[in-house]
């Protein structure tokens, strides 16, 4: 039997094809949104890369306190001595603050036997030193990828006498107990918030704040390190925050983190975190 195909049947099939494509586009948009907001997004380790590591300070790690990320006393904020200052290339204008790295000492007589690995959190910037050659003292000069570790962290995988060792490193999920923490600074017209104890990717790209009276989400701008700011009058109302991960783009909401009588200089804990 001969097969016939009319112009009208072609138009009908074309119409059905367009409807199906349009439906798939809507479905894809819905699934993408659900993956970003509704489901749990797991941060995955990256591939291994080569870099170098030095250390600064002494065994007490007192010189590592504070730092460009703004975490203050690293013992009080939960980071301890397993920390590092990152070269400019890794620091990424402060967006790498809170990121976690696993590393091993390699290809050096100073590495400990069996190459034990350590996991550190980025808490500081190792600035360039253009007065010295990038391969002889200017270890943090761009475009070098370099870790300047707290001395106790360095001593966990290599002899401190080495001064500098080659390492293999990779990004890993940050394992942090409890929820996000928000440290407040500023005044009645300017709120500066440091975000700490960030799990998952450990890093933050955007933040919003909402007062219980204002009722609207206010976009906060990136100040420096792990701090975000809002130029708004937010006193006398409880505050909620919406936080976006730099690595996974996931957004989570920490509702009513600070009470209506919140104050600067205080740190407030939430019950939500990344994974």
């Amino acid at each position: 039997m001969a097969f016939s195909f009319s112009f009208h049947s072609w138009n009908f099939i074309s119409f059905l094809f367009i409807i199906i494509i349009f439906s798939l586009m809507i479905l894809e948009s819905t699934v993408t949104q659900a993956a970003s907001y509704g489901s749990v997004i797991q941060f995955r380790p990256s591939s291994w890369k080569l870099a170098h590591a030095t250390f600064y300070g002494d065994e007490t790690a007192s010189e590592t306190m504070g730092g460009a990320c703004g975490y203050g006393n690293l013992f009080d904020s939960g980071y301890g001595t397993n920390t590092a200052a990152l070269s400019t290339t890794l620091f990424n204008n402060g967006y790498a603050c809170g990121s976690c790295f696993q590393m091993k000492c390699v290809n050096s007589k100073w590495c400990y036997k069996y190459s034990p690995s350590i996991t550190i959190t980025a808490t500081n910037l190792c600035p360039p030193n253009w007065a010295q050659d990038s391969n002889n003292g200017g270890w943090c000069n761009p475009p070098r990828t370099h870790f300047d570790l707290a001395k106790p962290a360095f001593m966990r995988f290599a002899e401190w006498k080495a001064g500098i060792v080659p390492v293999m490193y990779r990004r890993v999920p940050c394992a942090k107990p409890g929820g996000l923490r928000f440290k407040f600074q500023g005044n009645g017209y300017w709120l500066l918030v440091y975000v700490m104890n960030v799990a998952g990717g450990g890093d933050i790209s955007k933040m919003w704040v909402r007062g219980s009276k204002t009722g609207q989400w206010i976009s906060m701008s990136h100040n420096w390190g792990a701090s975000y700011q809002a130029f708004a009058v937010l006193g006398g109302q409880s505050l909620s925050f919406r936080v976006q991960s730099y690595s996974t783009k996931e957004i989570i909401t920490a509702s009513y983190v600070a009470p209506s009588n919140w104050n600067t200089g205080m740190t407030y804990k939430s019950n939500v975190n990344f994974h």
Side-chain angles (χ1 to χ4, degrees):
M1 183 174 66
F3 179 78
S4 63
F5 192 85
S6 70
F7 177 76
H8 294 292
S9 64
W10 167 251
N11 282 346
F12 178 72
I13 293 173
S14 299
F15 175 76
L16 285 178
F17 180 76
I18 292 172
I19 292 297
I20 291 171
I21 293 298
F22 183 72
S23 300
L24 288 173
M25 289 173 64
I26 294 176
L27 178 59
E28 181 182 7
S29 174
T30 303
V31 171
T32 302
Q33 188 178 31
S36 299
Y37 294 90
S39 60
V40 174
I41 298 176
Q42 299 282 344
F43 178 81
R44 302 298 183 188
S46 67
S47 58
W48 290 94
K49 298 178 182 179
L50 180 65
H52 286 81
T54 50
F55 66 87
Y56 68 115
D58 58 20
E59 288 84 348
T60 67
S62 59
E63 291 186 32
T64 68
M65 299 297 115
C69 291
Y71 295 135
N73 187 308
L74 299 179
F75 293 107
D76 293 342
S77 52
Y79 296 104
T81 60
N82 292 324
T83 62
L86 306 185
S87 62
T88 303
T89 303
L90 290 170
F91 193 67
N92 191 22
N93 292 319
Y95 287 109
C97 286
S99 301
C100 295
F101 297 86
Q102 183 183 26
M103 64 182 64
K104 301 177 182 179
C105 177
V106 296
N107 302 327
S108 172
K109 67 177 182 179
W110 302 107
C111 298
Y112 287 153
K113 191 177 180 180
Y114 306 121
S115 299
S117 65
I118 63 171
T119 300
I120 55 90
T121 303
T123 59
N124 203 356
L125 168 67
C126 180
N129 182 359
W130 297 115
Q132 294 184 306
D133 185 271
S134 296
N135 295 312
N136 187 22
W139 308 122
C140 291
N141 295 349
R144 292 182 64 100
T145 53
H146 189 86
F147 298 87
D148 202 17
L149 305 176
K151 189 174 182 180
F154 187 94
M155 293 172 63
R156 289 179 57 202
F157 72 0
E159 293 281 351
W160 68 268
K161 295 178 182 179
I164 181 171
V165 293
V167 296
M168 294 298 294
Y169 77 95
R170 64 174 180 169
R171 286 278 306 277
V172 292
C174 297
K176 304 296 182 184
L180 300 174
R181 300 175 190 169
F182 303 86
K183 182 172 70 173
F184 287 13
Q185 297 293 340
N187 53 48
Y189 304 93
W190 169 59
L191 178 64
L192 182 67
V193 180
Y194 293 89
V195 190
M196 303 180 295
N197 201 56
V198 183
D203 47 15
I204 300 297
S205 64
K206 293 181 181 178
M207 271 187 69
W208 298 262
V209 60
R210 182 178 66 185
S212 55
K213 294 179 180 178
T214 58
Q216 293 183 338
W217 287 106
I218 300 171
S219 179
M220 304 179 73
S221 60
H222 184 219
N223 182 287
W224 179 249
S227 66
Y228 287 78
Q229 60 191 358
F231 294 92
V233 179
L234 295 167
Q237 52 188 322
S238 59
L239 301 181
S240 301
F241 294 95
R242 184 170 283 171
V243 182
Q244 183 174 37
S245 165
Y246 187 93
S247 295
T248 67
K249 311 306 179 187
E250 181 185 8
I251 297 175
I252 59 176
T253 301
S255 300
Y256 306 109
V257 173
S260 58
N261 62 342
W262 61 265
N263 223 321
T264 56
M266 299 294 292
T267 299
Y268 298 94
K269 299 179 181 180
S270 72
N271 58 3
V272 295
N273 214 328
F274 296 102
H275 298 85

